[in-house]
Amino acid sequence: SDSAAENTLSAKVHGVEALGSYKLVTADFEGQSVKIKIKREKEVPAETVFLTIPARHYCVYENEHLI
């Protein structure tokens, strides 16, 4: 994804596993390990990935309460 896009996060790539029809990318976002499932045809940058998360696919919590 484009680093300038709305709702975009950057994460440091730690590894990529080829799992049949998709790849599983392991990355670090602010000290948290995240897993990203992508189509096997997609190229994965060696160092940093930019993740765009549509607003309809996430919830924001503060002190365990949905905001």
Side-chain angles (χ1 to χ4, degrees):
S1 292
D2 181 6
S3 62
E6 186 177 3
N7 298 330
T8 300
L9 312 170
S10 64
K12 182 178 174 167
V13 175
H14 286 288
V16 179
E17 297 175 74
L19 298 172
S21 63
Y22 65 93
K23 293 178 186 173
L24 190 63
V25 179
T26 302
D28 177 82
F29 171 70
E30 296 185 357
Q32 297 294 313
S33 181
V34 294
K35 302 279 186 178
I36 306 112
K37 181 180 174 182
I38 63 171
K39 294 179 182 178
R40 72 171 177 229
E41 298 83 19
K42 286 283 239 182
E43 291 294 320
V44 179
E47 294 185 18
T48 303
V49 290
F50 295 96
L51 311 171
T52 301
I53 305 170
R56 69 182 185 276
H57 290 292
Y58 68 87
C59 299
V60 178
Y61 290 83
E62 182 176 356
N63 297 325
E64 298 183 23
H65 296 287
L66 181 62
I67 296 177

